[in-house]
Structure formats: structure tokens, C-alpha cells
């Protein structure tokens, strides 16, 4: 069995088990993505190229150091950024798929 086939079987089992036990999709976890090279760094963290393991789509994964979010003003800025990205719907802009 190829590593790709094994990977799909494991992820499919995780999704199926969650539907069986809780009747809903599992919470997103970093294991659903393959994290690649760093694309850039910003005020809140870094952005990596990623691959969604089930759909095989390329994504950008932004990771943030939780220690930076201790200040209320920083949390507020992060929430504003998330709200802004959620509201954008245009072919020339990125689309926020999920947060976790």
C-alpha cells in the first residue's frame, strides 16, 4: 500500500469515526495539512505553504505565537484581521477557509 493511500485511509477513518460518535465533522487539526516552506513573516506570525491532505489543494497557513496574544490590543487586531478576511469575497483576494 502506498503512503498516500495509507494517509487517506487514516484521515477518512478519523472523519468517519467523528461522524459516527458525534454526528459532525471533526475539529480541524494541523494533521489535516502538510506544512511546507515559509512564504513570509508578519506582525502576528509566519505564513507557510500548506497542502490539505484530503483535497490536495495548496493553501497558505498562517501561524501565530500565542504568547503574542496576551495583550488585549493584539488580540483585538487579530480578531479584526480574521473578521476582515471572512468578509472578503473577490476573485483577486485570498479566502479565509478556517481558523483553529
Amino acid at each position: 500500500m502506498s503512503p498516500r493511500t495509507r494517509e487517506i485511509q487514516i484521515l477518512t477513518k478519523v472523519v468517519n469515526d467523528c461522524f459516527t460518535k458525534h454526528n459532525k465533522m471533526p475539529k480541524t487539526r494541523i494533521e489535516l495539512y502538510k506544512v511546507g516552506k515559509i512564504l513570509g513573516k508578519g506582525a502576528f506570525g509566519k505564513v507557510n505553504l500548506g497542502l490539505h491532505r484530503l483535497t490536495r489543494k495548496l493553501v497558505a497557513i498562517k501561524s501565530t505565537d500565542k504568547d503574542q496574544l496576551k495583550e488585549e490590543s493584539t488580540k483585538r487586531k487579530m480578531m479584526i484581521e480574521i473578521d476582515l478576511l471572512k468578509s472578503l469575497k473577490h476573485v483577486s483576494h485570498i479566502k479565509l477557509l478556517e481558523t483553529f
Side-chain angles (χ1 to χ4, degrees), residues 39-95:
L39 299 176
K41 294 181 182 180
F44 293 122
K46 62 182 180 177
V47 178
N48 290 75
L49 180 63
L51 177 72
H52 190 271
R53 292 180 188 266
L54 289 174
T55 64
R56 307 306 284 176
K57 291 193 178 192
L58 291 175
V59 296
I61 299 173
K62 184 172 188 176
S63 57
T64 304
D65 183 8
K66 287 187 178 182
D67 290 338
Q68 289 182 340
L69 297 177
K70 289 182 180 175
E71 293 182 32
E72 196 59 38
S73 63
T74 308
K75 283 182 194 176
R76 192 169 44 254
K77 288 177 186 175
M78 176 66 87
M79 293 310 295
I80 289 170
E81 180 179 352
I82 290 170
D83 289 341
L84 221 155
L85 290 172
K86 282 182 182 178
S87 67
L88 287 176
K89 290 182 179 30
H90 191 277
V91 294
S92 297
H93 296 112
I94 62 169
K95 181 178 179 181

Side-chain angles (χ1 to χ4, degrees), residues 16-55:
N16 287 337
D17 288 349
C18 191
F19 268 115
T20 302
K21 293 177 184 174
H22 308 291
N23 201 26
K24 61 181 179 179
M25 280 290 291
K27 289 185 178 181
T28 298
R29 302 184 317 228
I30 196 65
E31 291 83 19
L32 292 176
Y33 295 91
K34 184 175 184 179
V35 181
K37 68 178 184 172
I38 293 178
L39 299 176
K41 294 181 182 180
F44 293 122
K46 62 182 180 177
V47 178
N48 290 75
L49 180 63
L51 177 72
H52 190 271
R53 292 180 188 266
L54 289 174
T55 64

